[in-house]
Amino acid sequence: MFDMYDVYDRCVGLGYHCESTHQIRRITGHDRAHFFDWLDLDFESVVETIAGDFADVLRPGMVEPFSDGLCALDRGSDIRFFHDFHASSGTALTRSDIDRQLDGVRAKFRALAERWRTLARSSAYVLYVHHDAFDELTAADLRRLRLAIATAYPRHRFDLLWLRRTPPPDGGALGPGISWGTVAAAPGRWEGDDAEWDAAFRDVRFAPPPPRPSPEAAPDPSVSPGASATPAPSVTDRSTSV
């Protein structure tokens, strides 16, 4: 599946939901947040968000309560935010809760989008992982995702790992730079099955995590100057997950 000499500098999740974020952090030891971490989103949202350079995410007037107020749905990107907006009372989000918190959440995701661009334009060799949790995709879909990333960042060195519950019937049609593996479901456990994920990553090698910056270090260069008049919420801490 992987060249035994490949060593990836980063492993970045591309959804579907929190299971992939939890497992990637557990396996690699890298806990720095990336744009698609802890989100609930469909494959098309990933492709369109990357191809559109994140421009359609969290536009004012496009975010509303969803699933009886359990999350916020961004109609512009069809991304469901379970952890970034918080109900002012009870458990159900209201439109006023979302409107009041939107600027802060937008600042966080602008910083994460810039972090994505910085990584994709660097010399880092990245493994992107998409967890196809319901075995819905085809090899053509994964080729389309790879093309979207390569088109946006022509010099980017990266591969894709497509993880499904069962082997894909068209796995031989993936083409270069894309591999597949399987991770069986773990009913009742949102984190997934550790042994299954360990097996899927058995042949993948990663560079050790970089040292954490000292408290006196300069501000994170991934945050665009002037992006927000107030500090953006943390984009490194682990969120509660579903």
Side-chain angles (χ1 to χ4, degrees), residues 62 115 124 126 161 177 192:
M62 298 295 287
R115 179 173 293 173
V126 178
L161 174 58

Side-chain angles (χ1 to χ4, degrees), residues 54-169:
F54 308 93
D56 291 330
V57 180
L58 295 172
R59 288 181 294 169
M62 298 295 287
V63 188
E64 60 191 40
F66 188 68
S67 189
D68 296 325
L70 292 178
C71 68
L73 172 64
D74 176 21
R75 291 290 183 187
S77 64
D78 286 330
I79 295 175
R80 295 167 290 276
F81 294 81
F82 275 89
H83 310 300
D84 294 286
F85 295 92
H86 306 285
S88 57
S89 62
T91 58
L93 280 171
T94 65
R95 187 62 180 260
S96 62
D97 290 332
I98 292 171
D99 291 344
R100 186 174 60 255
Q101 298 168 43
L102 184 61
D103 286 348
V105 177
R106 291 184 71 209
K108 168 184 172 178
F109 280 91
R110 281 198 299 268
L112 287 172
E114 190 58 29
R115 179 173 293 173
W116 173 287
R117 298 182 191 103
T118 298
L119 179 62
R121 291 167 181 161
S122 74
S123 61
Y125 189 15
V126 178
L127 178 64
Y128 293 105
V129 179
H130 182 75
H131 181 206
D132 182 7
F134 301 103
D135 289 0
E136 298 173 312
L137 305 180
T138 67
D141 291 322
L142 272 293
R143 294 197 304 269
R144 186 158 51 90
L145 173 58
R146 194 180 197 288
L147 179 62
I149 299 173
T151 299
Y153 307 99
R155 298 186 178 182
H156 188 21
R157 293 196 308 143
F158 72 95
D159 293 322
L160 284 177
L161 174 58
W162 177 26
L163 294 180
R164 295 167 46 94
R165 299 304 190 192
T166 60

Side-chain angles (χ1 to χ4, degrees), residues 39-50:
L39 300 178
D40 188 66
L41 72 169
D42 299 323
F43 178 80
E44 292 301 327
S45 295
V46 178
V47 175
E48 292 172 5
T49 296
I50 295 170

Side-chain angles (χ1 to χ4, degrees), residues 13-35:
L14 304 179
Y16 171 77
H17 46 43
C18 298
E19 178 179 339
S20 56
T21 302
H22 169 79
Q23 291 293 342
I24 289 169
R25 292 187 179 196
R26 182 186 66 82
I27 290 168
T28 66
H30 291 223
D31 62 359
R32 198 178 199 211
H34 296 286
F35 190 91

